[in-house]
Amino acid sequence: MKFSLGRYVPYDSLIHRIDPRAKLLAILFLMICIFFPYQSWAMTFAVDGAIFLLLVVLLYMTRTKIVDILRSLKSLWFMIIFLLLIYCLIPTTEPTFPLAFEVAAWNWRVYWDSFLQAAKILLRLMMMIELTMVLTSSTKPLDLTFALEWYMTPLKVIHFPAHEIAMIISIAIRFIPTLLEDTSRIMKSQESRGVSFSHGRISKRVVSLTSLIIPLFVSAFMRSDELANAMECRGYDPRGNRTRYRLLKAKWYDWVFLLFCAAVFGVLLWFSIDPRFNALLLFPAEVH
Amino acid sequence: MKIISVNNLSFSYDGEHPAIKDVSFDVEEGSYVAIIGHNGSGKSTLAKILMGLLNGYEGEVKLFDTVLSNQSITALRKRIGIVFQNPDNQFVGSTVADDIAFGLENHEVPHEEMEGIIHQYASEVGMIDFLDHEPESLSGGQKQRVAIAGVLAMKPDLVIFDEATAMLDPKGKREIADIILKMKQENPKLTILSITHDVEEANRADEVLVLNDGQLFLSGKPSEVFAHGKELREIQLDSPFLAMLIEALKKQGIDVPQGINDVEKLEEYLCR
Ligand SMILES: Nc1ncnc2c1ncn2[C@@H]1O[C@H](COP(=O)(O)OP(=O)(O)OP(=O)(O)O)[C@@H](O)[C@H]1O
Ligand SMILES: [Mg+2]
């Protein structure tokens, strides 16, 4: 079994080489600025378009495959319907664009604004997913864990278990393939006993699911018990001092990337809150 | 020096059914001791007690002349390594190098020394080309070799194998056996305690302990222990090929002296 979303794609790109700490923070900056509100439609489209271009560049640099991108967006169709429904039901008070259609009997008017609003949110969600993809496809899960641990380390003074949490996450990541293998093995053996996971009534399928979940849990617990023993025997003490095999070292281009993303964040924040940009970019219809 | 000294050890998981009953034995420095016994005879339980993973046993366990206790266990574990049966459940790191480093990190080996140590032991077990491989891309035998490298990197004085080759194919078994042999040659002071179902492996050991329902059933040199073929069969244990051969010869009226411990020697003796 393979996932496409969030899977690390081994490739030696510049983005891949950026320190995970810098990358995590930088991508976080970009993610936040995707959702900045702007006072005019023209501004919104201009900025969202610019971010979109930046994203295309990032995706190209990490060599993310088009099929993977499409696959990661597959689940969004539900959001499309949901958003359209919501925005069509909410009445537009100050329409910028002309009326799309109306049902006079129910006093229901839908302006093009509603569709644009839905499209905007959708585009932003898409960009958010793709940004996550840039991060996860260019960073090994373990490196991400290291980055998280590094950011959480200051919290140790308030006895926040930063190292333990990082260890738990990295072991969970390490065991995903093992547990997936267990799952398919148990499914096969239960299917050979006549259990069906894909046919029959829902109620029946739920029952057959328990015949998968219970053995899976038992196996997972047995594994974790043995793993805990093995770790203890190898001298692991979560509270003890440890040295590190992998040390993170920030290089100049980590700073360049981080500063660039921080600058994008700063500029867009300024665009978003400074009223002067209201008047700078306006559609004719928006001039009141 | 006695590496392991177990006196009147008894243990029960549930307080009712004993898993270990009044077991006593000693292991000398540099010896290779095999423990055999049928499923559920208490072999793994014994290994876990030696590693300090189980508490509440009766009797005394001494490792390196130090009584095993909650206080001494941390220091003792630095000198003992264990390789378990399931290769997946002891692979902690996300790559081969990280896994070998895991024990080093725990024992606060300085970062600068790690790379060298990892390279040394990875090449010792023939995994040097796989340092950045993830466990999913390795075979069971390769994972066990990584586990051995992780243990050896700690420079232990005692290594316990709890059916380390049970899940491997014959080729994997042979490779691990060769590594153990090489370990022994490089460091004659290394003591090995190997729990196994493979009587041929037990036959190569210096000493064999036979456990049956938690009790020490037989112990001694392989040739002595496997001379009791009938008793062993009664507790569902096989004898190695050699011991069976000697027994069959005896039935035919051909007496074979003690101390013949491999097929070549037997051949030589018979041809004379
Ligand atoms: N965690 C546990 N809780 C309760 N009982 C246990 C536990 N582990 C083992 N036992 C019991 O203790 C006895 C000895 O088990 P042990 O695992 O030591 O056997 P073993 O000789 O290693 O067998 P195998 O050859 O199958 O590995 C068995 O009767 C078993 O059922
Ligand atoms: Mg066992």
Side-chain angles (χ1 to χ4, degrees):
Chain A
M1 270 192 244
K2 293 255 151 76
F3 338 84
S4 56
L5 179 66
R7 190 153 49 103
Y8 174 69
V9 183
Y11 185 80
D12 192 23
S13 78
L14 197 62
I15 307 283
H16 279 73
R17 265 178 275 153
I18 290 170
D19 187 290
R21 293 166 298 179
K23 202 163 17 177
L24 184 65
L25 190 63
I27 300 272
L28 207 64
F29 271 136
L30 292 184
M31 268 185 198
I32 297 170
C33 33
I34 289 179
F35 288 95
F36 283 159
Y38 304 98
Q39 282 106 333
S40 73
W41 274 109
M43 191 71 200
T44 308
F45 286 137
V47 171
D48 281 12
I51 298 180
F52 187 81
L53 281 181
L54 177 65
L55 195 60
V56 169
V57 172
L58 289 178
L59 283 171
Y60 176 74
M61 282 175 83
T62 52
R63 296 294 190 283
T64 310
K65 290 205 190 70
I66 305 276
V67 271
D68 283 343
I69 295 176
L70 292 179
R71 211 174 291 156
S72 70
L73 298 176
K74 213 169 52 182
S75 50
L76 272 183
W77 64 267
F78 174 77
M79 278 309 280
I80 299 179
I81 298 173
F82 182 73
L83 282 170
L84 276 178
L85 215 69
I86 291 286
Y87 281 108
C88 287
L89 288 178
I90 297 173
T92 316
T93 45
E94 273 181 26
T96 312
F97 297 101
L99 194 68
F101 64 90
E102 74 177 317
V103 184
W106 297 344
N107 195 18
W108 184 37
R109 284 180 195 83
V110 175
Y111 295 88
W112 281 106
D113 293 56
S114 302
F115 293 103
L116 280 172
Q117 198 71 29
K120 182 183 92 180
I121 299 288
L122 202 69
L123 176 73
R124 290 180 164 194
L125 277 177
M126 257 168 59
M127 294 203 292
M128 165 108 171
I129 291 174
E130 291 324 308
L131 258 184
T132 323
M133 196 128 154
V134 168
L135 179 68
T136 53
S137 70
S138 70
T139 323
K140 286 189 189 141
L142 193 76
D143 289 333
L144 264 186
T145 319
F146 280 149
L148 276 177
E149 184 181 359
W150 189 84
Y151 282 115
M152 291 189 299
T153 305
L155 296 176
K156 270 188 182 161
V157 288
I158 56 162
H159 297 289
F160 183 79
H163 165 71
E164 282 96 319
I165 288 179
M167 188 53 121
I168 290 168
I169 298 174
S170 66
I171 286 177
I173 295 168
R174 143 79 186 87
F175 271 87
I176 287 173
T178 315
L179 292 178
L180 279 179
E181 213 172 275
D182 273 0
T183 313
S184 72
R185 210 186 53 236
I186 293 168
M187 271 173 92
K188 275 186 202 133
S189 66
Q190 297 292 45
E191 270 168 348
S192 75
R193 293 191 180 99
V195 178
S196 172
F197 293 103
S198 48
H199 298 286
R201 277 181 293 121
I202 295 284
S203 61
K204 242 190 167 162
R205 266 194 265 172
V206 170
V207 174
S208 39
L209 215 56
T210 54
S211 76
L212 167 67
I213 288 173
I214 291 172
L216 191 61
F217 261 87
V218 172
S219 142
F221 275 114
M222 266 158 49
R223 282 187 190 284
S224 63
D225 190 40
E226 282 183 27
L227 183 74
N229 278 345
M231 288 172 71
E232 212 179 321
C233 289
R234 292 172 72 182
Y236 179 64
D237 174 9
R239 279 175 201 84
N241 289 327
R242 306 179 79 225
T243 47
R244 296 301 287 265
Y245 169 55
R246 282 183 196 278
L247 291 180
L248 297 172
K249 254 194 226 99
K251 294 153 301 262
W252 63 267
Y253 52 82
D254 301 330
W255 285 107
V256 171
F257 185 67
L258 182 57
L259 287 178
F260 170 73
C261 292
V264 170
F265 178 86
V267 169
L268 293 186
L269 185 67
W270 179 35
F271 281 6
S272 173
I273 55 179
D274 194 329
R276 270 174 300 171
F277 286 101
N278 250 344
L280 201 65
L281 261 177
L282 284 178
F283 281 138
E286 288 179 292
V287 185
H288 294 295
Chain B
M1 186 176 122
K2 285 200 184 81
I3 297 291
I4 304 175
S5 167
V6 171
N7 292 310
N8 306 101
L9 180 71
S10 297
F11 177 81
S12 165
Y13 283 99
D14 50 11
E16 274 177 56
H17 310 91
I20 298 281
K21 272 183 264 177
D22 198 23
V23 168
S24 304
F25 66 93
D26 291 330
V27 173
E28 287 294 328
E29 180 169 30
S31 57
Y32 179 177
V33 177
I35 300 183
I36 57 173
H38 59 79
N39 291 126
S41 56
K43 306 179 300 288
S44 298
T45 307
L46 184 63
K48 282 185 190 157
I49 290 174
L50 292 178
M51 287 310 297
L53 293 170
L54 294 171
N55 284 317
Y57 50 83
E58 283 162 35
E60 187 188 58
V61 178
K62 270 187 178 173
L63 297 166
F64 310 104
D65 285 330
T66 311
V67 177
L68 183 69
S69 68
N70 285 337
Q71 283 77 45
S72 63
I73 185 65
T74 315
L76 286 175
R77 273 190 192 139
K78 287 189 186 176
R79 306 180 62 182
I80 316 173
I82 183 163
V83 180
F84 291 100
Q85 176 177 6
N86 193 323
D88 272 314
N89 300 351
Q90 50 189 324
F91 205 109
V92 186
S94 50
T95 65
V96 169
D98 285 285
D99 192 64
I100 299 176
F102 180 71
L104 302 173
E105 293 177 322
N106 293 336
H107 291 135
E108 295 177 71
V109 172
H111 171 79
E112 300 75 43
E113 293 170 24
M114 281 189 197
E115 200 67 55
I117 298 177
I118 291 169
H119 274 258
Q120 183 191 339
Y121 289 98
S123 51
E124 201 131 305
V125 299
M127 292 296 290
I128 192 76
D129 296 330
F130 296 87
L131 278 181
D132 52 358
H133 279 231
E134 289 167 12
E136 307 97 83
S137 63
L138 301 177
S139 71
Q142 288 173 325
K143 279 180 232 181
Q144 277 315 55
R145 281 193 264 164
V146 174
I148 294 176
V151 161
L152 290 183
M154 310 301 308
K155 300 194 178 65
D157 299 311
L158 165 66
V159 180
I160 302 174
F161 292 92
D162 186 356
E163 297 186 40
T165 60
M167 293 175 95
L168 308 184
D169 58 9
K171 182 167 166 279
K173 281 195 171 84
R174 218 173 317 119
E175 283 166 356
I176 301 289
D178 289 344
I179 290 172
I180 296 177
L181 223 65
K182 205 170 90 187
M183 273 161 58
K184 246 352 247 165
Q185 277 164 2
E186 277 168 21
N187 180 7
K189 281 196 162 171
L190 184 69
T191 311
I192 292 176
L193 189 67
S194 176
I195 295 169
T196 179
H197 281 292
D198 181 358
V199 282
E200 298 298 338
E201 191 207 326
N203 199 34
R204 286 194 295 269
D206 301 325
E207 210 187 322
V208 179
L209 304 175
V210 183
L211 278 183
N212 181 39
D213 291 336
Q215 278 169 316
L216 197 58
F217 185 74
L218 278 172
S219 71
K221 291 215 160 53
S223 56
E224 292 163 21
V225 168
F226 292 120
H228 298 85
K230 196 160 149 280
E231 288 93 326
L232 288 176
R233 267 192 299 281
E234 268 163 22
I235 60 165
Q236 274 95 47
L237 284 175
D238 274 334
S239 299
F241 173 69
L242 182 73
M244 288 204 268
L245 194 62
I246 291 175
E247 211 181 302
L249 285 170
K250 272 187 187 151
K251 268 198 197 136
Q252 299 289 322
I254 305 167
D255 220 21
V256 178
Q258 287 266 316
I260 286 193
N261 53 9
D262 63 42
V263 181
E264 276 104 64
K265 275 192 199 152
L266 182 67
E267 204 178 282
E268 210 173 279
Y269 172 80
L270 289 176
C271 290
R272 257 196 282 127

